[in-house]
Amino acid sequence: MKRFRIKEAALFGARLQKLYTSWENNPDVGFVIMKGSGRAFCAGGDIVSLYHLVNEGKMEDCKDFFRKLYGFIYILGTYLKPHVTFLHSITMGGGAGVSIPGTFRLATEKTVFATPETLIGFHPDAGASFYLSHLPGHLGEYLALTGEKLNGEEMFACGLATHYSHSSRLELIEEQLVALVTDDPSEVEASLEKFSEPVNPEKGVMSRIETIDKCFGHDTVEEIIDAVESEAARANDAWCTATAKRLKEVSPLSLKVSLRSIRESRFQNLDQCLVREYRMSLQGISKQVSGDFLEGVRARLVEKDSAPKWDPPTVEQVSQDMVDQYFSPLSEFEPDLELPTNLREAFTSL
């Protein structure tokens, strides 16, 4: 059954688009609340299913999955009514993609966020290049390249979440929101603010922002790795040492592709980022440049030997042509992602 879930996910994405469009046009709907149906909000798409479909040559199913997912993210990012997401527990990959472009994002002490795509030979997608590029300093590059996790307080401190509250209050918060009869975002925000709790912005990753900017602000992956290693040696810092180790574990090609993606996103709207990510995703699963996606999923999620054999094996061996291929237009017979940009205003900031 696993290998059919991507098609189900595509159908779910299409259903979400239809529902959100109907709610947007319904005067009786003031705003929308999104939450997970289980213990976690969402851990992203079924990557293992995508892996099986690629191996079976079912590329049209893969394309349909990306089209539906990215299309819904654009609808959410341009939504005309307030949108509240409860980021409870795991919020990664597509789960982050269908929540962070919304108006309000409530994190808790159980929230775990990450964009871990470089660990499986892929790139931060589902709108991640857009929202990561808008984080303070070079935090976006750090998260994109290392795939490291943030907790709920860190998400709030850096702006990925708009509100923070203890998970024990979620039921009460939802009751208060459901009782509202409004489409005014300021009223929704005021309700959320009643339950917001302060966080210490100097804790966690934000306490490292100066070092992150110093190391991840360099132009190339090679320079970033050298800077992290130098900082680890100079300061004898365990955090820097762990970061340097992680950069050596992930796909070298993904590092270079992801860095360029974040840097380009700083000058693009959400729709432009999604169109580019669609190209990158199809290139990444096509095996025309490298088989790192299949190898990464095999090593991390299928056989779980945690010993991927990356191709190329080092960042020095990743050519400019290989990186450029990810950003090149698809073939003349393969259309780019089409979004309703003529009907919906472009989204420009978090």
Side-chain angles (χ1 to χ4, degrees):
M1 289 295 293
K2 257 187 177 298
R3 62 189 64 192
F4 295 106
R5 288 184 185 166
I6 287 294
K7 183 172 287 189
E8 293 166 6
L11 292 172
F12 181 64
R15 184 165 180 262
L16 276 177
Q17 278 201 45
K18 185 175 181 179
L19 284 172
Y20 268 66
T21 300
S22 68
W23 293 334
E24 192 174 50
N25 296 325
N26 187 340
D28 294 329
V29 176
F31 62 97
V32 178
I33 301 173
M34 177 187 284
K35 63 178 184 176
S37 60
R39 293 191 305 173
F41 172 67
C42 183
D46 194 328
I47 297 299
V48 175
S49 296
L50 192 62
Y51 166 89
H52 286 305
L53 287 174
V54 174
N55 275 329
E56 294 168 3
K58 297 180 178 178
M59 299 302 292
E60 289 305 316
D61 287 343
C62 298
K63 294 173 189 175
D64 195 43
F65 166 72
F66 288 124
R67 282 194 295 264
K68 295 294 196 306
L69 173 61
Y70 295 2
F72 173 69
I73 290 168
Y74 182 70
I75 295 296
L76 179 61
T78 58
Y79 211 55
L80 299 179
K81 292 184 176 180
H83 188 273
V84 181
T85 310
F86 291 174
L87 305 177
H88 188 50
S89 192
I90 300 172
T91 305
M92 300 182 186
V98 299
S99 57
I100 290 177
T103 323
F104 303 112
R105 305 169 297 279
L106 175 65
T108 75
E109 83 287 355
K110 294 184 178 181
T111 305
V112 181
F113 166 87
T115 52
E117 286 80 8
T118 57
L119 281 85
I120 57 167
F122 206 53
H123 65 97
D125 72 317
S129 67
F130 176 80
Y131 61 73
L132 291 178
S133 71
H134 286 73
L135 296 183
H138 295 283
L139 179 59
E141 284 95 329
Y142 164 73
L143 294 173
L145 270 57
T146 65
E148 291 291 356
K149 300 180 180 69
L150 297 183
N151 61 35
E153 290 189 68
E154 290 172 322
M155 287 189 74
F156 177 73
C158 74
L160 282 170
T162 60
H163 296 81
Y164 177 83
S165 186
H166 196 273
S167 60
S168 62
R169 308 179 81 184
L170 286 180
E171 187 174 341
L172 179 59
I173 295 171
E174 185 176 358
E175 288 177 0
Q176 295 289 316
L177 288 173
V178 170
L180 288 177
V181 181
T182 184
D183 60 0
D184 185 346
S186 64
E187 292 187 34
V188 177
E189 183 172 23
S191 184
L192 289 169
E193 290 288 351
K194 292 178 185 177
F195 302 94
S196 291
E197 300 174 24
V199 303
N200 183 353
E202 299 304 317
K203 287 177 61 179
V205 72
M206 294 308 292
S207 69
R208 298 281 185 176
I209 196 68
E210 185 176 335
T211 302
I212 288 172
D213 286 351
K214 179 180 178 181
C215 296
F216 286 82
H218 288 283
D219 291 337
T220 68
V221 169
E222 289 90 339
E223 290 173 315
I224 289 172
I225 293 174
D226 286 345
V228 173
E229 290 179 334
S230 296
E231 190 68 16
R234 183 192 67 79
N236 192 26
D237 189 315
W239 182 86
C240 289
T241 301
T243 300
K245 182 174 182 290
R246 173 60 70 90
L247 290 170
K248 293 296 182 69
E249 294 173 345
V250 303
S251 160
L253 176 58
S254 290
L255 284 176
K256 290 199 172 184
V257 167
S258 299
L259 180 62
R260 178 168 164 182
S261 180
I262 299 301
R263 296 279 164 84
E264 288 194 4
S265 294
R266 288 204 168 94
F267 306 97
Q268 296 177 327
N269 295 331
L270 176 62
D271 57 288
Q272 294 170 314
C273 290
L274 289 169
V275 170
R276 174 177 40 73
E277 287 178 4
Y278 180 73
R279 288 183 181 181
M280 295 169 66
S281 294
L282 295 194
Q283 296 284 8
I285 66 174
S286 70
K287 299 180 284 185
Q288 292 183 5
V289 182
S290 170
D292 273 7
F293 169 71
L294 293 178
E295 175 62 8
V297 176
R298 179 206 64 78
R300 305 287 185 189
L301 302 173
V302 179
E303 298 178 11
K304 300 182 180 180
D305 57 31
S306 296
K309 295 179 174 58
W310 303 123
D311 178 28
T314 67
V315 292
E316 291 78 13
Q317 292 172 282
V318 178
S319 70
Q320 188 61 48
D321 286 344
M322 296 177 76
V323 177
D324 289 344
Q325 181 66 35
Y326 272 76
F327 296 81
S328 299
L330 301 170
S331 74
E332 58 181 311
F333 306 107
E334 185 65 54
D336 272 325
L337 177 67
E338 294 184 4
L339 297 170
T341 53
N342 59 323
L343 301 176
R344 308 183 71 91
E345 184 177 353
F347 191 62
T348 58
S349 64
L350 278 179

